[in-house]
Amino acid sequence: KNEVEQSPQNLTAQEGEFITINCSYSVGISALHWLQQHPGGGIVSLFMLSSGKKKHGRLIATINIQEKHSSLHITASHPRDSAVYICAVSGAGSYQLTFGKGTKLSVIP
Amino acid sequence: KAGVTQTPRYLIKTRGQQVTLSCSPISGHRSVSWYQQTPGQGLQFLFEYFSETQRNKGNFPGRFSGRQFSNSRSEMNVSTLELGDSALYLCASSITTDTQYFGPGTRLTVL
């Protein structure tokens, strides 16, 4: 069974700061997903990674398969980025996701 | 294109009752997965359905069951509800093992 660990659990940042959230997992995977959950429960899929790096706007996600580690970076953070960010992993050919506990991000104006 | 819809959005039941939750995936998506989210356990995988077949099941008791219909719509059922079943139940649909698109969830409260 894959164990997914995220750090930090909580993060408070000033608007404009560069933010990094980390995720590590214990067993080889086929893909790693970064999800965003706003208050009220809706979840949005931000990235799916199997190698390397992806960028979308101010968000950057990287993965190191050998080290079983991924990072989510937010550049020039904004209060609207305040949400819970969840890392999840999936095995080969499976839709089944195993989730980290999430990182609660608060960006203060 | 319409997103994933879940009904009902909110539900209050009492212990011992049963409940059925519904999920309509994005048109063309044949895979539906269900997840339970609680403050203590976080997000946990319940089931995965593809073309009416259950492909995977998470570590939940037999009181939790589900099915998928020929139009890809899915239902999950929880029998003999317990207080600990209070949670946000999310479904997600996808075409491949790439991006999953989540519905808004059904918040179940068991009294």
Side-chain angles (χ1 to χ4, degrees), chain A residues 33 35 37 40-43 45 48 86 93-97 99 101, chain B residues 31 35 37 41 43 45 48 55-56 94-100 102:
Chain A
H33 306 251
L35 310 170
Q37 186 172 31
I43 292 179
S45 181
M48 190 215 73
I86 302 167
S94 172
Y95 297 81
Q96 177 174 346
L97 295 179
F99 300 88
K101 294 291 187 187
Chain B
S31 170
Y35 302 93
Q37 186 176 34
Q41 298 297 319
L43 277 158
F45 170 77
E48 171 203 334
R55 301 210 304 184
N56 281 299
S94 60
I95 297 176
T96 67
T97 49
D98 201 333
T99 302
Q100 291 199 21
F102 286 81

